[in-house]
Amino acid sequence: MEQLMLDEQEVINALCTYHARQKNLIPEDVTIELMYDDHDGNEPEEFGAEAEADNQVVTYQKGDMIQAIRNWVNFEYNIDPYAAIVKLQFNEEQGIYATVE
């Protein structure tokens, strides 16, 4: 399989859909804020997200984000979500994005 890159908007879309399914909402009612901390030093970088809908905020960690992306690539690209290797990445120009192999 070729490497697929999901830009920041597609990562947000994946999380909106994931959160909406869990809370029985429509994705358009969900707002996502992505978070990244590079921990200057030896600690690993951290990815996270906050989903807000109906005046409730839910925090998602990196594992949740990867699961949301797995679900997204299964639905949008017909890629086996369990065979896909998902990596979250960050750079100043692109923000948070994901690569799927």
Side-chain angles (χ1 to χ4, degrees), residues 65-85:
M65 294 173 71
I66 289 173
Q67 185 59 49
I69 292 166
R70 286 181 188 279
N71 293 348
W72 180 260
V73 298
N74 183 33
F75 180 74
E76 291 292 319
Y77 297 97
N78 200 29
I79 294 173
D80 180 355
Y82 301 105
I85 298 170

Side-chain angles (χ1 to χ4, degrees), residues 2 8 10 14 20 22 25-27 29 44 50 52 54-55 59 73 77 79 83 86-87 97-98 101:
E2 277 186 45
E8 188 168 82
E10 212 164 358
Q22 288 193 355
L25 302 167
I26 59 173
D29 290 342
E50 285 185 349
E52 184 176 351
D54 292 336
N55 294 320
T59 301
V73 298
Y77 297 97
I79 294 173
V86 177
K87 296 179 184 174
Y97 64 97
E101 297 178 9

Side-chain angles (χ1 to χ4, degrees), residues 30-81:
V30 180
T31 303
I32 299 292
E33 181 179 342
L34 300 177
M35 298 174 282
Y36 173 77
D37 187 354
D38 66 359
H39 285 296
D40 298 330
N42 294 331
E43 294 180 48
E45 61 201 13
E46 287 186 22
F47 292 91
E50 285 185 349
E52 184 176 351
D54 292 336
N55 294 320
Q56 294 182 336
V57 176
V58 175
T59 301
Y60 290 114
Q61 303 300 318
K62 182 178 180 179
D64 301 309
M65 294 173 71
I66 289 173
Q67 185 59 49
I69 292 166
R70 286 181 188 279
N71 293 348
W72 180 260
V73 298
N74 183 33
F75 180 74
E76 291 292 319
Y77 297 97
N78 200 29
I79 294 173
D80 180 355

